Amino acid sequence: MWYGLYNVLLILAFPLILCALLLKKRCRSGLLQRIGWVVPRGWDSRQNVLWIHAVSLGEVSAIVPFVRMLHQRYPATRIVVSTITETGREAVRQQLPGIATHCFLPLDYPWIVNRFITSLNPIGFVVVETELWPNLLRSLSRRGIPAVIMNGRLSSRSFSRYQWVRPFMRQVLSTVALGLVQSGRDERRFVELGALPDRMHRTGNMKFDLTMNGGFPFQPSIQRSAFRLSEDERLLVAGSTHPTEEEILLKSYRELLRSFSNVVLLLAPRHIERCDVLARTIEDFGFPPVRRSRLLEGGARGAVGPRVILLDTQGELAQVYGLAFMAFVGGTLVPVGGHNLLEPPVWGKPVCFGPYTDHCHEIAELLIESGGGIRVRNGHELTETFVRGIQNQDWVSHLGLNARKVIDDNQGVVERNLAMVEQVVGLSRCKSD
């Protein structure tokens, strides 16, 4: 009954879904693939194929160490990574060249997903975080192809919504062979929705393994000169920001400049297509916006003094955090739920964030407990924190060391996840030569 109702609703919603895909620039690419008109082809049918689905840029970045380790251990296995967004596709191409093949995730209609599965013929399917597509998971299960949730999490909003259809979720989760989740809270929530307890395992967050180098300090590959920063200027990096949040940050920056003229603010919006709008907002606050793309082209050479650098390029934010004296991670001063809080600590940088951290709850708590992260309630507290950081470099360094220790103490998730995926998917039986 539940699947029948779900599919009727999907059919009725098809015109709206199609319009949404056409209207959203970041979802427009690969439309023919999404609707099943074109399916992935072009490799030796005798190869074992492992299909991994990661929604967008953040999820792709999280699985990079896993995919590289998997490829090193099983070079004969073909790895296909599907995404929903264009930024996800670019991340696969940039971070996993020669290792993984990209495709767009098909829409969750039975006839479309069945055509995809027949074309790929995977030995297993791994979905990152919480992309639960009922028809896709059901079709895989009926063919005896194990599905694994990896780095799984359930935000409070998702959990609340799923509770309204708990009988349906019980059926959907019964098709999942293994769940590898980030925290005890996530494990409890999956079980409460109907997942079998013996299939759910807390292995941790793979984002802790985004740096596998060990040791400290590190040096980012991007240099200060790339942003025309002078030796005495201090860079404040605010990443993955959202509307309203950016206005708070710009007000805070304006307050800082009253006492400290050598601070430069860098804003990296969560959605890069908002850069034109954000540039106008920056101008409204009286600051010259300096686009990173213009700097790459050799422009803005004369930019000096108070200014706001606008990071309008893909794939650089994680490195740019390494140039900051302090960092702020967005989606936390507005009720979004937060983004990757671990990127600044990789470089031994303290990280500030707001009260809305539901999407990264456990990491936020670890950073606060360790003394490497600072939660602020509003723009006033954010400004006070930045002022203290500017006045007390020893305090900032101490926070940074504490933040980095959180990463060092929680690594090894990728190895644990791969060991369990090997068993369920049968990778240990795959030829590696």
Side-chain angles (χ1 to χ4, degrees):
M1 179 191 79
W2 284 104
Y3 277 97
L5 178 60
Y6 172 71
N7 286 320
V8 168
L9 292 174
L10 272 183
I11 293 170
L12 292 175
F14 182 75
L16 295 176
I17 294 172
L18 188 60
C19 287
L21 290 174
L22 290 171
L23 291 173
K24 286 186 178 181
K25 185 178 179 181
R26 58 193 175 119
C27 296
R28 200 177 301 159
S29 299
L31 181 61
L32 294 180
Q33 204 169 66
R34 298 175 200 270
I35 63 176
W37 192 269
V38 176
V39 292
R41 296 189 187 279
W43 52 77
D44 190 339
S45 61
R46 294 170 296 179
Q47 279 185 299
N48 289 308
V49 174
L50 182 65
W51 181 5
I52 301 175
H53 175 59
V55 184
S56 189
L57 173 63
E59 291 78 13
V60 172
S61 297
I63 64 167
V64 166
F66 177 86
V67 174
R68 287 178 177 167
M69 187 179 294
L70 176 67
H71 176 69
Q72 184 178 17
R73 197 167 295 182
Y74 304 100
T77 297
R78 184 88 182 200
I79 303 169
V80 176
V81 178
S82 62
T83 68
I84 288 179
T85 66
E86 176 72 19
T87 55
R89 179 178 71 172
E90 291 306 309
V92 174
R93 290 178 174 178
Q94 293 175 11
Q95 300 184 51
L96 297 169
I99 296 176
T101 303
H102 175 268
C103 72
F104 285 103
L105 183 77
L107 296 178
D108 198 40
Y109 294 88
W111 55 91
I112 298 179
V113 297
N114 278 323
R115 190 159 185 242
F116 252 72
I117 294 170
T118 298
S119 176
L120 288 176
N121 191 27
I123 60 172
F125 173 73
V126 178
V127 58
V128 183
E129 296 199 359
T130 319
E131 282 281 297
L132 301 176
W133 296 104
N135 284 324
L136 174 57
L137 292 172
R138 190 187 201 190
S139 296
L140 290 165
S141 179
R142 285 177 168 177
R143 295 176 186 231
I145 301 169
V148 177
I149 297 173
M150 188 169 69
N151 216 43
R153 67 177 179 87
L154 277 173
S155 67
S156 296
R157 180 181 298 179
S158 296
F159 180 60
S160 177
R161 289 174 177 173
Y162 286 145
Q163 283 184 313
W164 285 97
V165 289
R166 190 179 300 180
F168 185 35
M169 291 309 303
R170 183 178 296 109
Q171 292 181 350
V172 172
L173 289 170
S174 71
T175 64
V176 175
L178 177 67
L180 307 174
V181 301
Q182 297 181 16
S183 69
R185 184 182 74 160
D186 296 310
E187 184 178 7
R188 290 189 298 272
R189 286 179 171 179
F190 273 107
V191 171
E192 190 171 335
L193 288 176
L196 296 176
D198 60 343
R199 295 184 185 180
M200 292 289 125
H201 304 273
R202 176 190 177 184
T203 55
N205 193 327
M206 290 202 303
K207 290 180 179 179
F208 284 113
D209 285 345
L210 285 177
T211 170
M212 304 289 284
N213 303 318
F216 177 79
F218 299 98
Q219 292 297 323
S221 60
I222 298 178
Q223 302 299 314
R224 288 173 55 88
S225 58
F227 294 94
R228 313 290 192 266
L229 295 169
S230 64
E231 291 185 7
D232 66 329
E233 286 183 321
R234 312 191 73 175
L235 184 65
L236 175 62
V237 175
S240 300
T241 59
H242 290 257
T244 302
E245 205 165 41
E246 288 145 359
E247 284 82 350
I248 294 173
L249 285 158
L250 288 165
K251 289 177 182 176
S252 178
Y253 180 49
R254 190 162 56 192
E255 288 294 316
L256 288 177
L257 289 174
R258 293 180 178 178
S259 302
F260 311 99
S261 61
N262 65 333
V263 178
V264 177
L265 174 65
L266 183 145
L267 289 178
R270 178 65 176 178
H271 299 121
I272 198 169
E273 61 269 21
R274 292 187 50 251
C275 281
D276 289 342
V277 174
L278 182 53
R280 290 194 291 272
T281 302
I282 293 169
E283 289 175 340
D284 290 342
F285 273 81
F287 301 118
V290 180
R291 290 177 177 261
R292 165 61 170 157
S293 58
R294 289 289 309 281
L295 294 174
L296 287 170
E297 295 167 359
R301 290 186 180 277
V304 294
R307 60 196 183 278
V308 179
I309 299 173
L310 181 55
L311 194 66
D312 59 351
T313 54
Q314 294 281 6
E316 291 191 313
L317 177 59
Q319 291 287 322
V320 171
Y321 279 127
L323 304 178
F325 79 91
M326 294 188 79
F328 169 84
V329 173
T332 59
L333 279 173
V334 289
V336 170
H339 300 296
N340 190 354
L341 299 180
L342 292 178
E343 287 181 328
V346 164
W347 310 103
K349 306 294 182 178
V351 56
C352 303
F353 45 86
Y356 301 103
T357 55
D358 187 64
H359 293 174
C360 46
H361 172 78
E362 186 178 40
I363 292 175
E365 294 303 313
L366 285 172
L367 286 167
I368 292 171
E369 290 171 8
S370 72
I374 304 169
R375 189 192 299 277
V376 297
R377 292 174 295 180
N378 49 47
H380 177 69
E381 290 187 1
L382 185 66
T383 303
E384 287 185 336
T385 301
F386 291 152
V387 167
R388 184 180 179 186
I390 294 170
Q391 293 176 332
N392 192 339
Q393 182 58 49
D394 289 341
W395 178 66
V396 171
S397 299
H398 180 68
L399 289 176
L401 288 169
N402 291 338
R404 175 66 209 191
K405 191 173 187 301
V406 170
I407 292 180
D408 294 337
D409 290 346
N410 288 276
Q411 288 188 335
V413 182
V414 167
E415 183 67 50
R416 291 195 291 272
N417 283 351
L418 182 53
M420 300 190 78
V421 170
E422 283 176 332
Q423 296 176 14
V424 171
V425 174
L427 281 169
S428 58
R429 298 190 298 273
C430 297
K431 293 182 180 180
S432 59
D433 51 15

